[in-house]
Amino acid sequence: MTNNEYSDVTPQIHALAQKMTHNSVIDTDLYSKYNVKRGLRDIDGKGVLTGLTDISTITQNKLVDGKLVPCEGELRYRGYNVKDIVDGILEDDRFGFEEVTYLLLFGDMPNEEQLKDFKKLLVQYRTLPQHFVRDVILKATSNDMMNSIARSVLTLFCYDKNANDTSIDNVLRQCIQLISVFPLLSVYGYHAYNHYQRDNSLYIHRAEPTMSTAEVILSLLRPDRHYTPLEAKVLDMALILHMEHGGGNNSTFTTHVVTSSGTDTYSAVAAALASLKGPRHGGANVKVYYMFEDLKKHVKDWEDEDALEDYLEKLLDKQVFDKKGLIYGMGHAVYTISDPRQQILHGAVKKLAFAEGHNDEFDLYERVERLAPKVIGRKRKIYKGVAANVDFYSGLLYSLLDIPCELYTPLFATARITGWSAHRLEELINCGKIIRPAYMSISENKEYVDLKDR
């Protein structure tokens, strides 16, 4: 078999795929008939309860006269409103990723001494095994950084003499190590791809022990290692907002499911990475960025709201961009009126955009944010409100930071590894049963026929 035959869809494979598709279609009306919640979501968008967690809380409804009504979205980490956390960090003009990591893992806000010791611990573990970069990251480079990170994570299993030990002490050690090295795995993976597949210069910088996680990312990524305090602080905020989001998001639920089987930490994190990679989950931020790049090709006057609405309608009609019928960055599985993370990020991105002279581009994003719900309301039958989600502005933020698109979703993972770690530990501490939901079979019984008679 040649390389082309290995990687290409042949006519035989195409024919088999058509046969498989024909015999695998399920009538969507059966979901209603048997009261099966597609995607574990009710028709009103409320999630089917599958577990309990003490790590974060999402609020999208409030009780009024005995009835639940939509309200402004709210996100709490271990009971603390994430807006209050971010405001406190901004007021003190400090970096907060490490502090919030401590909160999510251990359940309490650290005092100054505890935070100092924890930062030292993260720095201590912010190192990769000897020759790991040379032997793993720089070999067999991938143009998909999420797959590159997953391969690195699974390979780290081989360097861990206690890799299969699922005791709380050992898993905590593994999680802290992974939280510490994710910036390295992400950025080094990108540099390897940029060098070997794009023929650009290769930069492998060392992480400075005095730097915050956000500073490490920017200093490792940029050839001259230079960044402004505003750039680092805004990136730090974005990381905090992406760290955790309830237990029901796809990748965190994956973490719980895989952890419940008793598997090792590296396998659980690799599974979560595979989930986050999808464009319906963590891959949405880069989709927003590419959608806007396509919009700019179709709409020359960014202040022409009629032209913008026309483009948005064409998006929904599957006529432009990726022809999926989606306006990326709009709507959320849980929030109906507002995504609190988007509201916080909105102000920070505006400050950065205006500081770097990208006022017009930010104004374009704001117009689309305002117009999209109107267009969706006209074109779609919707059962709940539609508002911009956290992905809407995060792609713009990363572009303002000169972060390549290949790293948009890996940065999400670099933040969310904290949430996955907290949930993995919570599942291990409280786990009593493997998570195994039921599926209803709609197959008809058939009589076996001998091969010669078929």
Side-chain angles (χ1 to χ4, degrees), residues 22-33:
H22 176 75
N23 290 330
S24 301
V25 174
I26 295 176
D27 183 355
T28 55
D29 290 339
L30 295 178
Y31 287 91
S32 298
K33 177 179 178 180

Side-chain angles (χ1 to χ4, degrees), residues 152-401:
S152 292
V153 168
L154 289 172
T155 306
L156 284 171
F157 175 98
C158 304
Y159 291 82
D160 188 340
K161 64 181 180 180
N162 295 313
N164 281 312
D165 179 0
T166 58
S167 66
I168 299 303
D169 287 6
N170 192 58
V171 171
L172 177 60
R173 186 265 305 172
Q174 292 171 329
C175 288
I176 291 175
Q177 284 182 307
L178 288 173
I179 292 169
S180 299
V181 301
F182 252 57
L184 282 62
L185 300 180
S186 302
V187 178
Y188 290 166
Y190 170 75
H191 283 315
Y193 154 73
N194 197 38
H195 174 62
Y196 289 106
Q197 296 196 30
R198 286 182 168 176
D199 200 28
N200 292 316
S201 297
L202 177 64
Y203 301 94
I204 301 294
H205 300 309
R206 291 186 180 274
E208 297 294 335
T210 58
M211 289 181 173
S212 68
T213 298
E215 291 175 300
V216 166
I217 292 169
L218 293 177
S219 69
L220 294 184
L221 179 61
R222 296 179 175 179
D224 62 5
R225 309 198 70 170
H226 290 166
Y227 54 88
T228 68
L230 176 60
E231 288 177 322
K233 294 288 174 57
V234 173
L235 179 56
D236 179 70
M237 178 190 296
L239 293 173
I240 292 171
L241 295 175
H242 283 88
M243 289 171 79
E244 162 61 7
H245 201 240
N249 66 81
N250 195 280
S251 57
T252 301
F253 184 57
T254 297
T255 303
H256 274 279
V257 171
V258 177
T259 296
S260 75
S261 75
T263 195
D264 66 278
T265 299
Y266 303 97
S267 295
V269 171
L273 282 164
S275 166
L276 189 71
K277 175 186 172 181
R280 293 183 180 179
H281 191 9
N285 53 19
V286 72
K287 279 287 192 178
V288 174
Y289 175 79
Y290 284 132
M291 178 185 74
F292 269 91
E293 291 302 295
D294 187 71
L295 180 153
K296 293 172 188 176
K297 296 176 183 176
H298 287 80
V299 181
K300 301 304 180 184
D301 182 359
W302 295 356
E303 295 183 3
D304 186 343
E305 296 194 358
D306 289 336
L308 291 174
E309 287 197 22
D310 180 65
Y311 176 82
L312 295 175
E313 288 187 359
K314 289 178 178 177
L315 273 176
L316 295 177
D317 290 337
K318 302 181 180 181
Q319 295 177 7
V320 292
F321 188 42
D322 62 359
K323 299 181 181 179
K324 298 291 186 181
L326 299 172
I327 301 177
Y328 291 98
M330 298 303 301
H332 192 271
V334 178
Y335 300 118
T336 55
I337 294 180
S338 64
D339 182 337
R341 303 166 300 169
Q342 179 273 336
Q343 292 186 318
I344 297 170
L345 199 60
H346 173 273
V349 175
K350 181 177 182 179
K351 186 176 181 180
L352 182 62
F354 277 58
E356 298 191 355
H358 292 275
N359 311 36
D360 292 344
E361 189 166 14
F362 181 82
D363 290 342
L364 171 63
Y365 272 71
E366 281 197 322
R367 287 191 195 95
V368 173
E369 180 188 3
R370 174 169 50 83
L371 295 173
K374 294 166 52 179
V375 175
I376 294 172
R378 289 200 305 264
K379 301 285 292 184
R380 295 280 194 270
K381 293 180 180 180
I382 54 176
Y383 55 83
K384 63 175 184 175
V386 177
N389 58 48
V390 69
D391 292 315
F392 190 81
Y393 283 104
S394 61
L396 174 59
L397 166 63
Y398 297 149
S399 70
L400 292 173
L401 293 173

Side-chain angles (χ1 to χ4, degrees), residues 98-116:
E98 294 75 19
E99 179 181 348
V100 182
T101 294
Y102 185 101
L103 169 66
L104 288 173
L105 288 178
F106 307 115
D108 296 316
M109 282 286 195
N111 59 34
E112 291 184 358
E113 183 178 354
Q114 290 171 330
L115 182 56
K116 182 180 178 181

Side-chain angles (χ1 to χ4, degrees), residues 33-200:
K33 177 179 178 180
Y34 296 114
N35 195 29
V36 176
K37 309 298 190 297
R38 295 198 74 182
L40 296 181
R41 312 300 301 181
D42 293 320
I43 190 64
D44 61 0
K46 184 180 178 182
V48 176
L49 204 58
T50 59
L52 302 173
T53 184
D54 189 36
I55 295 169
S56 67
T57 307
I58 300 171
T59 302
Q60 73 275 23
N61 298 308
K62 61 182 178 180
L63 200 61
V64 178
D65 297 330
K67 295 183 179 180
L68 284 176
V69 296
C71 65
E72 296 287 345
E74 184 180 274
L75 174 62
R76 290 179 176 268
Y77 290 168
R78 293 288 192 173
Y80 295 94
N81 192 319
V82 72
K83 184 180 185 303
D84 294 337
I85 295 173
V86 170
D87 286 346
I89 291 167
L90 291 176
E91 184 176 345
D92 291 345
D93 192 27
R94 67 178 190 273
F95 293 99
F97 178 84
E98 294 75 19
E99 179 181 348
V100 182
T101 294
Y102 185 101
L103 169 66
L104 288 173
L105 288 178
F106 307 115
D108 296 316
M109 282 286 195
N111 59 34
E112 291 184 358
E113 183 178 354
Q114 290 171 330
L115 182 56
K116 182 180 178 181
D117 290 342
F118 186 61
K119 286 181 177 180
K120 287 182 179 179
L121 186 62
L122 290 173
V123 171
Q124 175 186 332
Y125 282 127
R126 189 176 288 145
T127 182
L128 292 168
Q130 188 175 20
H131 305 314
F132 188 89
V133 174
R134 182 196 69 188
D135 295 341
V136 179
I137 297 178
L138 295 183
K139 291 185 177 179
T141 57
S142 171
N143 61 1
D144 191 306
M145 295 308 102
M146 292 296 284
N147 281 41
S148 174
I149 298 169
R151 183 188 64 185
S152 292
V153 168
L154 289 172
T155 306
L156 284 171
F157 175 98
C158 304
Y159 291 82
D160 188 340
K161 64 181 180 180
N162 295 313
N164 281 312
D165 179 0
T166 58
S167 66
I168 299 303
D169 287 6
N170 192 58
V171 171
L172 177 60
R173 186 265 305 172
Q174 292 171 329
C175 288
I176 291 175
Q177 284 182 307
L178 288 173
I179 292 169
S180 299
V181 301
F182 252 57
L184 282 62
L185 300 180
S186 302
V187 178
Y188 290 166
Y190 170 75
H191 283 315
Y193 154 73
N194 197 38
H195 174 62
Y196 289 106
Q197 296 196 30
R198 286 182 168 176
D199 200 28
N200 292 316

